[in-house]
Amino acid sequence: MRVAVLDDYQRAAARFADWDALRRDHGVSRIDHLHHHLPDDDAVAAALAPYEVVVAMRERTPFTAARLARLPRLRLLVTTGMANAAIDLAAAARQGVTVCGTRSGQSATPELTWALILGLLRHLPEEAAAMRAGGWQHTVGGDLDGRTLGVVGLGRLGTRVAAIGAAFGMRVLAWSSRLDPERARGLGVEPVGKRELFERSDVVTVHYKLGERSRGLIGAEELSWMRPTAYLVNTSRGPLVDTAALLAALHGNRLAGAALDVYDTEPLPADHPLRTAPRTLLTPHIGYVTEESYRIFYGDAAEDIAAFASGAPVRVLTAG
């Protein structure tokens, strides 16, 4: 079998798993790490045609029915994580492609969320740049203690973010379409309606699952409910926030700022208007990009390949 490991942007995948064991013990003849993103169907088909096994890092490269149809040699598709909205599982099954997932770390994205919140409120990018240019103290930062944090989505990650907010002395609100009020109260979080969360929060942070019903969850109306002194943070999925509406709010001085780690199109085009939008802190979807996360992702990916080669695949993902 030949294996392609996709979107290895940092050239890091090789050191986070025992790939040599696959060659030695499981009939893998070749493992190639691809360091550049494959931007379209033709690039995917051309690059991956020779491979029986592909390892995908999260949703960096989608596998639609059309793309899968152009990969007739593909037998195993491994995705990091146990869910990947960018893979058409039904099409994979029809084509006889086994799809397997991996475990995920629990702390990386909540930690980055708080790095972004603190970076926004304390103006860290501006002050760091000024220091390198010879300057000294240009801004006045905001406080967390006594402020209100609004958590959109109180699931696995949102719960961790909420707990950290409480540790900073913040009042914590939460909303989602399926929020369990009693569970929220048990976590020390006040369950509220959607509008109330946006109206009352000094910082709104998004931790919501992307689906057809949640696409555009935060649009012009929701942003209009926010105070001009409030901040928006999204480390979940780009399409949850209407980018055009967010740009309009930023340029219209209707938000104090926004921190984003996720985007509608990734990698974010070099000329995208978000790159020059005012009062923004942008990171390149690194919420899960930590040593521990990669150790889990790539270690489990190698394990998935070994299990498949032995005829007993593990962590198999199926449609529905």
Side-chain angles (χ1 to χ4, degrees):
M1 292 190 298
R2 287 163 291 187
V3 177
V5 181
L6 300 187
D7 295 309
D8 182 17
Y9 298 152
Q10 303 92 355
R11 299 176 181 265
R15 72 176 189 266
F16 284 106
D18 185 3
W19 303 104
D20 288 338
L22 296 176
R23 299 185 185 93
R24 185 178 63 246
D25 303 326
H26 298 287
V28 172
S29 60
R30 179 170 178 165
I31 300 174
D32 294 317
H33 295 84
L34 282 64
H35 306 302
H36 301 290
H37 183 63
L38 303 173
D40 53 41
D41 291 356
D42 289 342
V44 169
L48 302 185
Y51 296 97
E52 290 82 14
V53 179
V54 169
V55 177
M57 174 55 77
R58 306 304 299 130
E59 291 96 3
R60 291 177 184 174
T61 298
F63 284 88
T64 62
R67 289 189 178 186
L68 289 166
R70 297 179 67 177
L71 301 173
R73 297 182 66 92
L74 185 63
R75 297 167 55 203
L76 173 66
L77 176 58
V78 177
T79 174
T80 53
M82 288 300 292
N84 189 329
I87 295 175
D88 188 328
L89 293 173
R94 290 194 299 270
Q95 196 168 311
V97 176
T98 300
V99 181
C100 296
T102 73
R103 295 170 298 158
S104 299
Q106 305 295 311
S107 61
T109 298
E111 289 172 3
L112 181 73
T113 298
W114 280 102
L116 293 177
I117 293 172
L118 290 166
L120 270 179
L121 268 71
R122 300 302 294 270
H123 307 289
L124 296 186
E126 300 97 312
E127 293 291 2
M131 282 289 289
R132 290 187 179 276
W136 188 259
Q137 288 194 10
H138 294 274
T139 64
V140 177
D143 299 285
L144 294 176
D145 186 36
R147 300 292 183 91
T148 299
L149 175 71
V151 182
V152 178
L154 196 63
R156 176 172 54 90
L157 301 183
T159 295
R160 283 179 170 256
V161 170
I164 297 169
F168 275 119
M170 301 185 79
R171 294 180 293 271
V172 183
L173 316 177
W175 170 85
S176 75
S177 63
R178 298 182 180 180
L179 182 70
D180 181 342
E182 291 307 313
R183 175 178 175 272
R185 293 188 186 99
L187 295 168
V189 175
E190 181 183 350
V192 295
K194 187 178 184 182
R195 179 164 185 158
E196 184 178 355
L197 182 139
F198 282 88
E199 289 180 338
R200 289 177 55 189
S201 297
D202 297 295
V203 178
V204 174
T205 179
V206 185
H207 305 279
Y208 215 88
K209 185 176 180 180
L210 178 62
E212 286 309 310
R213 294 177 61 187
S214 62
R215 192 174 295 271
L217 182 75
I218 299 172
E221 183 177 29
E222 288 77 11
L223 293 171
S224 75
W225 297 335
M226 296 177 69
R227 297 194 294 267
T229 56
Y231 298 86
L232 177 71
V233 179
N234 186 10
T235 57
S236 186
R237 291 294 182 269
L240 292 169
V241 177
D242 183 324
T243 299
L246 177 59
L247 284 166
L250 289 166
H251 285 289
N253 295 315
R254 298 196 302 273
L255 279 182
L260 306 175
D261 186 50
V262 289
Y263 309 92
D264 295 347
T265 302
E266 298 183 1
L268 189 68
D271 60 350
H272 195 284
L274 277 172
R275 290 187 183 266
T276 54
R279 301 181 309 285
T280 53
L281 175 52
L282 309 179
T283 50
H285 204 157
I286 55 172
Y288 60 90
V289 181
T290 68
E291 291 186 354
E292 182 59 21
S293 291
Y294 272 24
R295 193 170 289 112
I296 294 169
F297 281 159
Y298 287 123
D300 280 9
E303 190 176 276
D304 287 351
I305 297 168
F308 178 81
S310 299
V314 295
R315 293 184 285 265
V316 176
L317 305 182
T318 57

